[in-house]
């Protein structure tokens, strides 16, 4: 059985173990991951109840602490995909965002995730506004 915990301390070790399952995130290191966890205004983590193994997490922050909240990490252990874990993580986070009265939730979609986000109500180019990023190369 999977349990979900809201705004609880997320173990850096468990977070790094989860991140390690995604080769595309090999650039994520412990120092910055620890900062991301600590600086997140909201987090939801999914745990396998039997062994307390973290099988998913979502982290979100807000630059203005008023209007917008930005989902910067949503990960589900590949062994738990298509079991509703990601959906439950996101829906739980969105419920918390509503309670805190954030106007919009922003999320950049990893390859293959756009359909998942659209099913949850996210739209591309709302009112012709497009997200842009200036990335370090």
């Amino acid at each position: 059985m999977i349990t979900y915990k809201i705004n609880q301390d997320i173990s850096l070790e468990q977070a790094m173990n989860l991140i390690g399952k995604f080769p595309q995130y090999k650039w994520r290191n412990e120092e910055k991951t620890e900062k991301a966890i600590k600086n997140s205004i909201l987090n939801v983590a999914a745990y396998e109840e039997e062994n307390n193994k973290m099988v998913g997490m979502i982290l979100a922050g807000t630059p203005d602490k008023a209007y917008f909240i930005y989902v910067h990490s949503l990960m589900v252990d590949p062994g738990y995909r298509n079991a509703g874990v990601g959906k439950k993580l996101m829906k739980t986070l969105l419920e918390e965002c509503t309670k805190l009265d954030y106007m919009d939730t922003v999320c950049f979609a990893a390859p293959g995730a756009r359909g998942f986000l659209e099913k949850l109500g996210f739209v591309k180019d709302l009112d012709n506004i497009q997200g842009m990023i200036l990335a370090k190369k």
Side-chain angles (χ1 to χ4, degrees), residues 8-59:
Q8 300 293 310
D9 288 335
I10 291 178
S11 154
L12 178 60
E13 180 182 353
Q14 286 202 24
M16 292 308 296
N17 285 339
L18 183 61
I19 291 166
K21 295 177 187 266
F22 300 91
Q24 68 269 34
Y25 295 133
K26 64 182 176 198
W27 51 270
R28 291 191 179 206
N29 63 47
E30 284 190 8
E31 179 184 350
K32 289 196 178 203
T33 297
E34 184 173 37
K35 283 182 185 177
I37 292 168
K38 285 183 179 178
N39 293 329
S40 294
I41 194 162
L42 283 173
N43 73 61
V44 183
Y47 295 89
E48 179 62 61
E49 200 171 88
E50 183 179 304
N51 57 14
N52 202 38
K53 173 187 170 189
M54 188 168 66
V55 298
M57 72 174 178
I58 186 168
L59 306 173

Side-chain angles (χ1 to χ4, degrees), residues 62-75:
T62 175
D64 61 16
K65 296 183 175 62
Y67 293 104
F68 303 99
I69 194 151
Y70 167 60
V71 177
H72 55 83
S73 296
L74 169 59
M75 295 179 199

Side-chain angles (χ1 to χ4, degrees), residues 50-113:
E50 183 179 304
N51 57 14
N52 202 38
K53 173 187 170 189
M54 188 168 66
V55 298
M57 72 174 178
I58 186 168
L59 306 173
T62 175
D64 61 16
K65 296 183 175 62
Y67 293 104
F68 303 99
I69 194 151
Y70 167 60
V71 177
H72 55 83
S73 296
L74 169 59
M75 295 179 199
V76 175
D77 184 306
Y80 291 80
R81 291 246 174 97
N82 299 311
V85 175
K87 183 177 182 181
K88 178 73 173 171
L89 286 168
M90 183 62 88
K91 283 188 166 196
T92 302
L93 182 97
L94 293 174
E95 288 169 8
E96 293 299 309
C97 290
T98 298
K99 289 177 191 174
L100 295 171
D101 199 30
Y102 285 103
M103 188 172 85
D104 291 317
T105 303
V106 178
C107 184
F108 287 103

